[in-house]
């Protein structure tokens, strides 16, 4: 369940009898919440705590994350471009805090599968706890490993890379994907775009694109609506490509 107090206070919690949530706006006893419907609220000492269904946007706000996670604006586009659907199998590297893992497993459904690689065991343990909290851990296979050295799976529908040097994994990505499968890469710098883009083009990928998405939030007040002075501008770049049976050089790109 999500406890929403205001935009800066969003808590992702698992309700257990006898426990409570302490915030700077007051304490919320879980016993007073159990049995209530989503959308209801409970009075606390400095306001109201609204009880909300844990949709992905609230999970993003309330997730415990020791490392930076991808923004929803980027993940939405990445999933759209990947072409994945319920029941598909995808590979992800690295796992990080697990928000992309959560998003992928949500869209793939109970019949789908996410295989997520990371070289850090501590990050995977944190991600497992996050997946358990939202009830999606059964859709995910965690692997401690380096996709630059090996991807064990073959015939997967899509591969998502969020790592410092994704171009070093391109050959393994090509081998693991099914024909026409999609690779989706997130990188934060322009120099990473160039290396990744060119490696994809040289190693059998076509329809390679690189984009940046800008999100602009508005501050809405009567007779004073305007863009917020502070917001999310640059977060990173998204590179996508499709596996061709023939390399791009063979078809004239």
């Amino acid at each position: 369940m999500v406890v929403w107090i205001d935009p800066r206070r969003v808590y992702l919690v698992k309700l257990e009898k006898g426990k409570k949530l302490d915030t700077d706006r007051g304490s919320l006893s879980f016993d007073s919440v159990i049995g209530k419907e989503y959308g209801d609220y409970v009075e606390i000492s400095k306001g109201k705590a609204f009880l909300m269904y844990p949709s992905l946007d609230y999970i993003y706000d309330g997730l415990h994350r020791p490392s930076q996670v991808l923004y929803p604006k980027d993940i939405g586009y990445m999933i759209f471009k990947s072409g994945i659907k319920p029941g598909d199998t995808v590979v992800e590297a690295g796992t990080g805090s697990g928000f992309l893992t959560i998003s992928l497993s949500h869209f793939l459904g109970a019949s789908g599968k996410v295989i997520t690689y990371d070289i850090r065991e501590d990050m995977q343990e944190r991600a497992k706890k996050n997946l358990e909290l939202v009830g999606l851990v059964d859709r995910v296979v965690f692997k401690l490993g380096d996709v630059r050295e090996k991807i064990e799976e073959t015939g997967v529908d899509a591969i998502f890379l969020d790592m410092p040097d994704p171009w070093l994994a391109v050959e393994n990505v090509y081998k693991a994907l099914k024909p026409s499968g999609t690779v989706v890469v997130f990188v934060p710098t322009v120099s990473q775009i160039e290396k990744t883009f060119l490696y994809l083009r040289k190693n059998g990928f076509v329809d390679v694109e690189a984009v940046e998405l800008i999100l602009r939030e508005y501050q809405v007040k009567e007779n004073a609506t305007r863009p917020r002075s502070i917001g999310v501008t640059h977060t990173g770049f998204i590179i996508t490509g499709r596996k061709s049976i023939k390399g791009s050089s063979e078809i004239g790109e």
Side-chain angles (χ1 to χ4, degrees):
M1 171 176 283
V2 168
V3 177
W4 187 95
I5 298 175
D6 63 43
R8 295 186 302 277
R9 296 171 178 85
V10 180
Y11 303 92
L12 185 63
V13 298
K14 183 176 181 180
L15 297 182
E16 297 181 56
K17 289 184 178 180
K19 294 192 175 183
K20 64 179 181 176
L21 172 68
D22 291 317
T23 79
D24 62 335
R25 291 295 182 91
S27 295
L28 176 66
S29 167
F30 289 166
D31 290 346
S32 68
V33 172
I34 294 172
K36 288 185 175 292
E37 296 183 12
Y38 288 125
D40 204 346
Y41 67 88
V42 175
E43 297 281 355
I44 54 178
S45 59
K46 295 182 181 179
K48 295 178 180 180
F50 292 86
L51 316 176
M52 298 296 181
Y53 176 79
S55 55
L56 286 178
D57 59 335
Y58 286 137
I59 290 172
Y60 172 82
D61 289 330
L63 195 69
H64 177 73
R65 44 183 188 255
S67 64
Q68 178 62 48
V69 300
L70 299 184
Y71 279 81
K73 72 177 180 71
D74 296 316
I75 289 179
Y77 182 83
M78 291 164 72
I79 290 175
F80 177 83
K81 288 291 289 184
S82 72
I84 60 174
K85 60 186 183 301
D88 281 354
T89 298
V90 305
V91 168
E92 171 202 23
T95 308
S97 298
F99 184 63
L100 177 57
T101 320
I102 289 171
S103 302
L104 291 172
S105 59
H106 171 80
F107 279 96
L108 291 173
S111 59
K113 187 65 67 177
V114 180
I115 299 99
T116 182
Y117 286 80
D118 204 292
I119 59 175
R120 289 180 55 182
E121 187 174 7
D122 60 327
M123 295 304 296
Q124 287 214 325
E125 289 303 316
R126 178 70 263 172
K128 283 180 184 178
K129 292 179 180 178
N130 285 335
L131 266 293
E132 288 170 354
L133 181 60
V134 298
L136 294 173
V137 72
D138 291 342
R139 304 181 186 182
V140 180
V141 175
F142 293 87
K143 290 192 174 183
L144 192 62
D146 190 340
V147 295
R148 295 169 297 185
E149 297 177 359
K150 184 179 181 181
I151 299 176
E152 296 177 339
E153 294 69 31
T154 58
V156 301
D157 297 284
I159 294 180
F160 293 76
L161 301 179
D162 177 15
M163 51 192 291
D165 46 10
W167 54 90
L168 297 182
V170 166
E171 291 186 17
N172 290 336
V173 167
Y174 184 88
K175 295 174 184 177
L177 279 172
K178 69 178 185 181
S180 188
T182 308
V183 59
V184 183
V185 183
F186 182 88
V187 293
T189 70
V190 172
S191 61
Q192 290 170 305
I193 293 180
E194 185 173 323
K195 288 183 179 179
T196 305
F197 192 102
L198 295 178
Y199 266 72
L200 289 172
R201 288 284 298 272
K202 291 175 182 177
N203 286 276
F205 288 89
V206 297
D207 193 19
V208 183
E209 297 179 347
V211 304
E212 178 185 15
L213 305 177
I214 303 296
L215 177 68
R216 191 179 194 187
E217 186 180 358
Y218 275 68
Q219 174 180 297
V220 180
K221 295 181 179 178
E222 188 173 359
N223 299 320
T225 298
R226 59 178 176 80
R228 288 192 180 276
S229 302
I230 299 174
V232 177
T233 54
H234 172 74
T235 52
F237 305 100
I238 300 166
I239 307 161
T240 57
R242 303 291 290 270
K243 176 179 176 176
S244 171
I245 295 176
K246 293 183 178 181
S248 59
S249 62
E250 297 178 78
I251 61 174
E253 278 202 25

